[in-house]
Amino acid sequence: MNKIAFQGTHYAFSEIAARKYFGDNIETHPCRQFTDVFKSVENKNSHYGIIPVENSTTGSVYQNLDLMLDSSVTVVGEVQLRIEQHLIANPDVKLEDITVVYSHPQALQQCGNFLASFPDIETIASYDTAGSVTHIRNEKMLHAAAIASRQAAEDNKMQILKEEIEDNPQNYTRFHIIASTTQMPEGANKTSIIFSMKNIPGALFKSLSVFALRDIDLLKIESRPMRGKRWKYLFYLDFAGTMNEERCQNAIRHLEEITSFLKVIGSYKAAED
Amino acid sequence: MNKIAFQGTHYAFSEIAARKYFGDNIETHPCRQFTDVFKSVENKNSHYGIIPVENSTTGSVYQNLDLMLDSSVTVVGEVQLRIEQHLIANPDVKLEDITVVYSHPQALQQCGNFLASFPDIETIASYDTAGSVTHIRNEKMLHAAAIASRQAAEDNKMQILKEEIEDNPQNYTRFHIIASTTQMPEGANKTSIIFSMKNIPGALFKSLSVFALRDIDLLKIESRPMRGKRWKYLFYLDFAGTMNEERCQNAIRHLEEITSFLKVIGSYKAAED
């Protein structure tokens, strides 16, 4: 049975996404931090890891982009999940009793409009959504709520005070499946790379031209600051195609002429609905 | 005397940056949220606003990129500041007494390595760095610390428990000066735009080519998810040149052929050290 590492406690969205991707016949391994998920895969304590990489409301999960840079893991799959956030409290607690809301910072951000309509409610960042439900239950907190999934509320026998409080119902998260060895899964159609450019004029345009000249579609580009180098950037780029295709191999070889750093983090099958 | 709106309380980094840009002969207007800074400028309650847009360790301040999209304000200037973060507590408190650390989420992130070495210390996100110092002082908290500037510690007569705890000494923040009317300041050499692309093949490559074809240097490109549109993006792009130059006007006219949305948010003088 495959063992899958994820960040958070049981019923976290990452665990729900893992079941969507692998099915129910898996063992899940909760980790406190994203870095622990990477370590669990690198050390072969888990067969795979699952990490959120982008949310359609709040954007990329930069911490995982940054971790991917230094890690030896590769991306072997992708899955997306609609994220419904609910305001959850102990039984009999009322909305007007709430003075503090606990959740993961990304969840707090996804519900920014809802929370802004209660300016007196304090928000406290916690390690994960489902864990914040367990926390307010275990501490029997009567003035606190948590933001998490329906499954987290039901499993903890807690009350949903308000349903679907995310700002935008088109609230989806993309997750990457990571493994310790490079794999080329069946149906692979997408590749992710990280690169930084040489300091030459028009470098960004030239890097994108290696794909355009070979009719390779760019799916996404994202920039991140390089640590310790002021206003220098790493680029995270997804393109349509795999490293088994000659035109993609040629594009990457061409790109190496322009870049000072280049890492292919994996070819995999793009998430479907 | 110019009145400058900023987010946070007195001695916040934004206020320090405002004095670096305008000098000391200004009146500063503290606002609770970034959106209040925008409103204060839009409603002409302040002459200018100052907003952080990017940190060299943690990346863009996405909330302000998002607010800029909907606002009528324009960018008229830029300033950068080295950000030194200090761990601040009430007098006589010792490092080993600390169980909780308050600060702005960006500051907590900039000190991620330091905080990770104290896994038992809880972190609580607050509205601003300097305000978290006032908070632990006013509440006489003996097991709490705040992360903020030296000025915030000194002004509140608080103790610096540990100096320069930011992960990276190359920790700089860029701030934009915003105004309610378009201005073309003396020495302007940089322009910021926001656009989204038509759904055509190679759209991103074509949008960058309008600059490359005219030898206009790209300084930065950043993507953000479009609200309510799953996996569609807005691009935030900075280029070298101003809207007074014919080649830049031509590039923007060319770009309009390819984009479904385009907004020039201002030409201004790039920050110097």
Side-chain angles (χ1 to χ4, degrees):
Chain A
M1 196 188 292
N2 276 329
K3 184 175 168 190
I4 319 294
F6 71 98
Q7 189 273 335
T9 54
H10 289 300
Y11 304 97
F13 289 110
S14 291
E15 191 188 45
I16 299 169
R19 294 190 187 283
K20 181 175 177 186
Y21 186 83
F22 290 101
D24 280 330
N25 193 24
I26 52 170
E27 181 194 345
T28 53
H29 172 53
C31 299
R32 185 169 160 93
Q33 309 247 33
F34 288 132
T35 174
D36 302 324
V37 177
F38 280 82
K39 273 183 211 147
S40 181
V41 175
E42 287 163 1
N43 301 338
K44 302 192 200 310
N45 289 327
S46 300
H47 297 92
Y48 297 99
I50 185 163
I51 50 166
V53 289
E54 189 184 18
N55 174 272
S56 60
T57 308
T58 54
S60 290
V61 181
Y62 296 99
Q63 209 188 332
N64 282 330
L65 298 189
D66 291 351
L67 285 168
M68 188 58 78
L69 176 67
D70 295 325
S71 175
S72 60
V73 304
T74 61
V75 179
V76 299
E78 186 178 66
V79 58
Q80 60 174 292
L81 194 70
R82 179 162 168 221
I83 305 290
E84 291 175 15
Q85 302 283 14
H86 307 290
L87 190 72
I88 298 166
N90 278 295
D92 301 328
V93 169
K94 293 191 184 60
L95 185 54
E96 54 267 32
D97 300 334
I98 304 300
T99 58
V100 57
V101 171
Y102 290 81
S103 198
H104 189 275
Q106 280 264 345
L108 295 171
Q109 215 183 327
Q110 287 162 23
C111 305
N113 293 348
F114 175 81
L115 292 169
S117 62
F118 298 94
D120 293 333
I121 292 184
E122 190 186 8
T123 56
I124 298 189
S126 57
Y127 281 98
D128 66 316
T129 53
S132 63
V133 177
T134 331
H135 177 67
I136 64 167
R137 186 201 61 188
N138 291 351
E139 303 285 324
K140 299 188 177 56
M141 298 171 88
L142 301 179
H143 297 279
I147 294 176
S149 67
R150 180 177 302 280
Q151 289 91 330
E154 288 172 358
D155 179 59
N156 284 290
K157 304 215 182 330
M158 296 284 274
Q159 181 198 179
I160 294 185
L161 272 185
K162 194 136 176 64
E163 291 189 323
E164 299 190 22
I165 57 166
E166 68 274 11
D167 290 358
N168 194 314
Q170 283 290 322
N171 189 32
Y172 284 78
T173 296
R174 275 195 309 122
F175 297 83
H176 275 170
I177 312 299
I178 55 175
S180 60
T181 52
T182 306
Q183 304 173 12
M184 179 69 68
E186 214 177 312
N189 55 7
K190 179 176 175 182
T191 299
S192 293
I193 63 172
I194 310 175
F195 65 91
S196 63
M197 294 175 303
K198 286 182 183 162
N199 194 10
I200 51 173
L204 182 55
F205 174 74
K206 287 173 187 165
S207 355
L208 301 190
S209 72
V210 310
F211 300 99
L213 289 168
R214 294 171 179 90
D215 295 323
I216 298 169
D217 274 347
L218 298 183
L219 303 172
K220 171 147 207 257
I221 185 165
E222 179 84 52
S223 57
R224 286 291 295 155
M226 286 176 78
R227 270 171 301 223
K229 306 215 172 155
R230 185 160 33 136
W231 317 137
K232 300 272 177 210
Y233 300 94
L234 284 164
F235 290 88
Y236 288 73
L237 188 145
D238 297 341
F239 62 84
T242 77
M243 290 309 288
N244 274 356
E245 295 170 54
E246 198 179 348
R247 62 183 187 132
C248 296
Q249 294 162 5
N250 290 339
I252 293 297
R253 197 164 45 231
H254 188 170
L255 187 56
E256 281 172 340
E257 298 171 28
I258 305 157
T259 51
S260 53
F261 167 82
L262 173 64
K263 180 176 173 178
V264 176
I265 59 174
S267 293
Y268 52 93
K269 187 163 185 284
E272 287 163 4
D273 273 355
Chain B
M1 194 186 293
N2 277 329
K3 184 175 168 191
I4 320 292
F6 71 99
Q7 189 272 335
T9 54
H10 289 301
Y11 304 96
F13 289 110
S14 291
E15 191 187 46
I16 298 169
R19 294 192 189 282
K20 180 173 177 187
Y21 185 85
F22 290 101
D24 280 331
N25 193 24
I26 53 170
E27 179 192 348
T28 53
H29 172 53
C31 299
R32 185 169 161 90
Q33 309 248 31
F34 287 133
T35 173
D36 302 325
V37 177
F38 280 83
K39 273 184 210 147
S40 181
V41 175
E42 286 163 2
N43 301 339
K44 301 191 200 310
N45 289 328
S46 299
H47 297 92
Y48 297 98
I50 185 163
I51 50 166
V53 289
E54 190 184 18
N55 174 272
S56 61
T57 308
T58 55
S60 291
V61 182
Y62 296 99
Q63 209 187 332
N64 282 330
L65 298 189
D66 291 351
L67 285 168
M68 189 57 81
L69 177 67
D70 294 326
S71 174
S72 60
V73 304
T74 62
V75 178
V76 299
E78 187 177 65
V79 59
Q80 62 174 291
L81 195 68
R82 177 161 170 222
I83 305 292
E84 291 173 17
Q85 303 283 13
H86 307 289
L87 189 72
I88 299 166
N90 278 293
D92 301 326
V93 168
K94 292 190 184 62
L95 185 55
E96 54 267 32
D97 301 333
I98 304 300
T99 59
V100 55
V101 171
Y102 290 81
S103 197
H104 189 274
Q106 281 266 342
L108 295 172
Q109 214 183 326
Q110 287 162 24
C111 305
N113 293 348
F114 175 80
L115 292 169
S117 62
F118 299 94
D120 294 332
I121 292 185
E122 190 185 11
T123 56
I124 298 189
S126 57
Y127 282 99
D128 66 315
T129 53
S132 62
V133 178
T134 331
H135 177 66
I136 63 167
R137 186 200 61 189
N138 290 352
E139 304 284 326
K140 300 186 177 54
M141 298 169 90
L142 301 179
H143 297 280
I147 295 176
S149 66
R150 181 177 302 278
Q151 290 91 332
E154 288 172 357
D155 179 59
N156 283 290
K157 304 213 184 330
M158 296 284 273
Q159 180 198 179
I160 294 184
L161 273 185
K162 193 134 176 67
E163 290 189 325
E164 300 192 21
I165 57 166
E166 67 275 9
D167 291 356
N168 194 315
Q170 283 290 324
N171 189 32
Y172 284 78
T173 296
R174 279 196 305 124
F175 297 83
H176 275 170
I177 312 298
I178 56 175
S180 60
T181 52
T182 306
Q183 303 174 11
M184 179 69 67
E186 213 176 313
N189 55 7
K190 179 176 176 182
T191 299
S192 294
I193 64 172
I194 310 175
F195 64 91
S196 63
M197 293 174 304
K198 286 182 184 163
N199 193 9
I200 51 173
L204 182 56
F205 174 74
K206 287 173 187 166
S207 355
L208 301 191
S209 72
V210 310
F211 300 99
L213 290 168
R214 293 170 180 90
D215 294 323
I216 298 169
D217 275 346
L218 298 183
L219 303 173
K220 171 147 206 258
I221 184 164
E222 179 84 51
S223 58
R224 284 292 295 154
M226 287 178 75
R227 270 171 301 222
K229 306 215 172 155
R230 185 160 34 137
W231 318 136
K232 299 271 176 211
Y233 300 93
L234 285 163
F235 290 88
Y236 288 72
L237 188 144
D238 296 344
F239 62 85
T242 76
M243 292 307 290
N244 274 357
E245 295 170 54
E246 198 179 349
R247 61 182 188 132
C248 295
Q249 293 160 7
N250 289 340
I252 293 297
R253 197 164 47 229
H254 188 171
L255 187 57
E256 281 172 341
E257 298 171 28
I258 303 157
T259 50
S260 53
F261 168 82
L262 174 64
K263 180 176 173 178
V264 176
I265 60 173
S267 293
Y268 52 94
K269 188 163 184 285
E272 286 161 6
D273 272 354

